[in-house]
């Protein structure tokens, strides 16, 4: 799995907080997640209510509640084809929250509308603002950033909505390393995987993969599938360390 690194995500989130004032009080303001979980099951139960399903007419992806409790972070490519609302003067998406029903965590079938508030094409991130919740639903907790970047070998957990239909799927793994995207892929060509690629074609491929420029990433061993894009990667205390994104398989 390739995800923007904590250092880059941290920088980007702080710049978002400065530009849209995520600390601004609102009727939807929610408390950050508690810390000090005793098991992976406790961590999942704590983080999962913050994770949402995002839908557009062309597909779906994952997002998570961040900041004051009325903002959701996801990938830009998840919402890039969302329709434009002339009244709101922005793109809009449908957001589905989930809740615990007995021993299961289930989708709330009633969607709420979200307005695309900020995007970063280079970092493949987007901020969505929502102003209501489904009837009878409590305010979801919000994720917060880890204090330090994740170390190689540290435990991590990915939660997302794979297109196969198993929503709020949890995968565990470790932080495998840090690199840049797509710069790290160039090593494959240099070492012979792409023999026959001349410099011009290699540069064109890198430009195609990251038209806005390279970014730092973190590699984990969590199994990721289409639909997981925009979901959180959290550490063993439930703090956000990265945001999942997809790369072309071919």
């Amino acid at each position: 799995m390739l995800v923007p690194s904590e250092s880059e995500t941290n920088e980007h989130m702080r710049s978002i907080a400065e530009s849209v004032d995520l600390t601004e009080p609102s009727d939807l303001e929610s408390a950050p997640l508690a810390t000090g979980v005793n098991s992976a099951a406790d961590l999942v139960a704590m983080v999962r209510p913050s994770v949402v399903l995002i839908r557009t007419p062309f597909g779906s992806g994952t997002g998570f509640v961040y900041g004051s409790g009325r903002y959701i972070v996801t990938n830009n490519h998840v919402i890039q084809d969302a329709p434009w609302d002339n009244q709101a003067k922005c793109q809009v998406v449908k957001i589905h929250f989930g809740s615990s029903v007995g021993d299961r965590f289930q989708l709330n079938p009633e969607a709420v509308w979200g307005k695309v508030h900020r995007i970063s094409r280079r970092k493949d991130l987007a901020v969505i603002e929502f102003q209501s919740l489904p009837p009878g639903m409590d305010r979801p907790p919000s994720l917060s950033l880890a204090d330090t970047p994740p170390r190689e070998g540290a435990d991590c957990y990915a939660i997302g909505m794979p297109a196969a239909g198993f929503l709020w799927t949890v995968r565990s793994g470790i932080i495998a390393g840090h690199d840049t995207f797509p710069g790290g892929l160039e090593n494959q060509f240099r070492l012979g995987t792409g023999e026959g690629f001349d410099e011009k074609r290699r540069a064109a491929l890198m430009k195609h993969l990251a038209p806005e420029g390279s970014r730092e990433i973190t590699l984990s061993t969590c199994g990721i599938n289409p639909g997981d894009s925009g979901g959180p990667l959290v550490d063993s205390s439930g703090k956000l360390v990265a945001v999942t994104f997809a790369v072309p398989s071919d």
Side-chain angles (χ1 to χ4, degrees), residues 15 36 46 55 69 159 163 166 200 207 211 218:
S15 68
M46 180 181 72
R55 292 173 51 216
I159 300 179
F166 294 94
K200 185 176 181 180
K207 183 69 173 178
T218 290

Side-chain angles (χ1 to χ4, degrees), residues 52-70:
V52 301
L53 173 67
I54 298 173
R55 292 173 51 216
T56 75
F58 303 98
S60 65
T62 308
F64 56 91
V65 180
Y66 177 82
S68 67
R70 59 179 177 140

Side-chain angles (χ1 to χ4, degrees), residues 1-2 4 10 13 25 30 35 42 67 75 78 114 158 162-163 169 173 177 201 223:
M1 179 188 69
L2 293 171
N10 195 1
M13 295 299 186
S30 60
T35 57
D42 290 340
N75 284 148
V78 170
T169 302
R201 292 180 65 195

Side-chain angles (χ1 to χ4, degrees), residues 66-241:
Y66 177 82
S68 67
R70 59 179 177 140
Y71 293 101
I72 288 170
V73 174
T74 186
N75 284 148
N76 177 61
H77 78 261
V78 170
I79 57 86
Q80 65 183 358
D81 295 323
W84 181 268
D85 185 285
N86 288 325
Q87 185 174 357
K89 299 188 184 308
C90 64
Q91 290 176 288
V92 293
V93 298
K94 288 184 176 181
I95 301 166
H96 287 271
F97 293 88
S99 58
S100 295
V101 179
D103 295 332
R104 304 191 65 180
F105 197 81
Q106 296 184 357
L107 177 78
N108 190 318
E110 185 167 344
V112 299
W113 287 100
K115 300 188 296 184
V116 178
H117 194 69
R118 290 283 191 276
I119 66 169
S120 170
R121 292 186 179 89
R122 177 173 173 267
K123 299 181 181 181
D124 195 14
L125 292 174
V127 176
I128 300 167
E129 182 180 8
F130 66 98
Q131 299 184 357
S132 65
L133 290 169
M137 181 178 173
D138 294 331
R139 291 173 296 185
S142 60
L143 296 183
S144 57
L145 292 172
D147 296 327
T148 58
R151 298 176 59 190
E152 289 86 347
D155 292 333
C156 58
Y157 301 85
I159 300 179
M161 316 290 185
F166 294 94
L167 306 182
W168 284 276
T169 302
V170 181
R171 273 82 18 114
S172 63
I174 63 170
I175 301 297
H178 305 283
D179 208 326
T180 60
F181 177 80
L185 296 179
E186 289 186 291
N187 292 330
Q188 296 187 30
F189 297 111
R190 294 194 187 100
L191 297 176
T193 302
E195 288 186 17
F197 262 57
D198 58 32
E199 191 60 37
K200 185 176 181 180
R201 292 180 65 195
R202 178 161 46 242
L205 175 61
M206 296 302 108
K207 183 69 173 178
H208 171 73
L209 292 173
E212 305 294 333
S214 64
R215 58 185 185 267
E216 293 182 5
I217 60 168
T218 290
L219 182 69
S220 87
T221 61
C222 299
I224 296 300
N225 299 285
D228 288 321
S229 292
L233 186 75
V234 299
D235 61 18
S236 57
S237 65
K239 293 291 189 71
L240 178 70
V241 296

